[in-house]
Amino acid sequence: MIDDFIIFERGGSVLWRRTFVRLRGDPIATLIREVLLEDRASDAELSTATYGVRWSLSNEHRLVIAVVFQRLLPPAYAGELLESVKGSFTEAFGAALAAGEGDDADFSAFDTTFDDLLHAAEQSSLRRAREARERRTARNNAPRAAPRVAPADDRAHSPPDSRAPDSRSLPAPPLSTPPLGGASAEDETRRNREAFIRRRTAAKKKSSKMTTGTTILDTPVEPPKRGKVMRPPRSSVADEAPRLDFSAPAGANGGDDAEVERVRRQFKEGASNAAYDLLDVSDEEDGATGDAPNGKSRTLASGVLSYFKGLAGMRALTRDDIEPALAQFREALIGKNVAQDIADRLLESVATSLEGQQMESMTSVTTTMKRALDEALTRILTPRQSTDILADISAMKGNGRPYVITYCGVNGVGKSTSLAKTCYLLIENGFKVLIAACDTFRAGAVEQLRTHVKCLGKGVELFDRGYGKDAAAVANDAIRRAKEGGFDVVLVDTAGRMQDNEPLMRALAKLVEVNRPDRLFFVGEALVGNDAVDQLKKFNAALSDHQRSANPRLIDGIVLTKFDTIDDKVGAAVSMVYTTGQPIVFVGVGQTYMDLRKMNTKALVRALLR
Ligand code: GDP
């Protein structure tokens, strides 16, 4: 049973529609927002809480044909109906639409055709189901039936409602950890951690200044052998190898004079990457004509566009025409560190939008192909909500509560460093900042922040409760303290955690649920490839699963670190934004307080297409 069937132009005007029942919400608006504008037209289906939506595109006539049904009762004939309606509708009205006479066409004449097509699709679906049933009966009645395997045909048409539902559409399970302070798995983790710290403290006596410390995870790890502060860029953050503590040499109060001096020199006086500007590429490099910019050897543009030189004079692009070029685009995007899955989905959408487009000349094909990918990337990367944190904070100023930003991510990606850089930016802009030390897990984490606070000087204070405390409660106390003390902003540092570490993910969800920060930033390295997608999906899934609220807080901004170490392999930015639909708020480009930038979408797209 279908609930709604609609045919509309990509420009937005509805040409024909049949609504069978009154809809709750607007699944077609969701289709436009989350699929068409997001370049996800190659996805198989859209699921909202109530509905499933499937669609077909007629690129030649710039039409979208969509069917809406109950998510749990998808009609087996949806795909067949979409295709038959597309064929009949474009046959009946394609000429008028192509001639720009759509306004004069009487689309209501399509009513009876649709009834016939719907009836035919329903009948053929029933017939297939009946035949499948008969085949099963015949097999069951056969004297020596072979082991039972559903025939391919049967499987192909079996109702897809047996699919595992998206876990995020299920109601979130109740938190098994009780509210602040109760006995829980977190307590047990904490006890383990305390035992581990005791063992570590004994072992640590022998260790040297800059090589002590470790990331304390739920299982004890050996003290590391390599330094943390200046460690070279890693190709992946997936390893849970122990990191060295930033502030291991600090005394009980953290931030001893030598350490403060060292950090002050590095972060305040060190050579900033101010001149570093991948984010500012000159206009001449816009290779819309297909010429390879920059004279780079084998570039995305030159590789793909040269292919199209052979397509002069063709009228409508077919899938076969596009396929070889797609392979080259894929290789180039993955070469720029875009996650494979994201590159595939993005290119599939671009291909879907190009198929059937009229091409007048060689130049037109060339330009169209490049523009399609450029437009898709620009749409994906252009923030849809504010990334102007300073403006947001200013707007909140004086309303009696501080603006709260929480940083999360895996170990060693640059959370504390990015937090300190943000703090510097805020102080420079006259805001009063409280840093909440909610990484109560990793030895040295509090001292690392204390050192930064000493270096940052006036305008910032540290709020900490030491180690082993419930991070959610510490953040809560910090926010209360900030309210009382007239602070404008609270920056909440959290423990690094791997995306699969359930107890720690549960603790993060609790911190977020209890404290409802204004922004929840995921800090990720620009170095990551495919793992970026896994990290983000799992962080968001865990945040969703472990909050009881019907409207759980998820990641709503990305801080992309170590951009200075990746040359032109800027693809992680695309993977992260595509996965979350959230903007890159800051980019870290070095190891001084000044090395924080905003992302320039246009320049990023150019870097990707170079
Ligand atoms: P955390 O464990 O996520 O808090 O990571 P840290 O903030 O301690 O940073 C880990 C390492 O990455 C430190 O050596 C930082 O100096 C370094 N780092 C952080 N951000 C950047 C950046 O943008 N560029 C470079 N090159 N290094 C960075």
Side-chain angles (χ1 to χ4, degrees), residues 228-229 412-417 421 448 562 564 588-591:
K228 174 180 180 179
V229 172
V413 290
K415 287 181 298 302
S416 312
T417 306
K421 288 175 182 174
Q448 176 176 0
K562 310 188 187 178
D564 51 313
V589 295
Q591 303 195 63

Side-chain angles (χ1 to χ4, degrees), residues 61-206:
H61 301 100
R62 297 189 51 75
L63 297 181
V64 181
I65 301 108
V67 58
V68 179
F69 45 85
Q70 293 292 314
R71 187 170 60 87
L72 297 176
L73 294 170
Y77 53 84
E80 181 182 340
L81 181 63
L82 280 171
E83 291 313 312
S84 63
V85 167
K86 178 165 84 172
S88 297
F89 192 86
T90 51
E91 195 182 318
F93 302 107
L97 290 170
E101 293 163 2
D103 287 349
D104 302 330
D106 178 14
F107 296 113
S108 65
F110 191 65
D111 286 359
T112 45
T113 312
F114 179 80
D115 289 338
D116 293 345
L117 294 173
L118 177 60
H119 182 71
E122 283 171 343
Q123 290 306 312
S124 77
S125 163
L126 286 173
R127 195 177 55 250
R128 280 196 303 270
R130 197 171 49 242
E131 285 167 4
R133 247 193 336 270
E134 285 166 6
R135 277 199 301 275
R136 276 199 301 275
T137 312
R139 265 200 312 277
N140 290 343
N141 292 342
R144 297 186 61 212
R148 215 171 150 250
V149 178
D153 191 33
D154 195 2
R155 286 198 299 274
H157 300 292
S158 63
D161 54 350
S162 56
R163 287 167 309 177
D166 182 349
S167 65
R168 274 181 243 178
S169 59
L170 291 172
L175 281 175
S176 65
T177 37
L180 309 178
S184 64
E186 215 169 279
D187 291 331
E188 191 181 341
T189 310
R190 191 189 314 144
R191 275 195 301 279
N192 290 343
R193 192 192 51 74
E194 283 165 0
F196 169 61
I197 288 176
R198 278 196 297 279
R199 285 198 299 279
R200 278 272 301 117
T201 312
K204 217 170 170 183
K205 287 189 180 137
K206 284 187 266 165

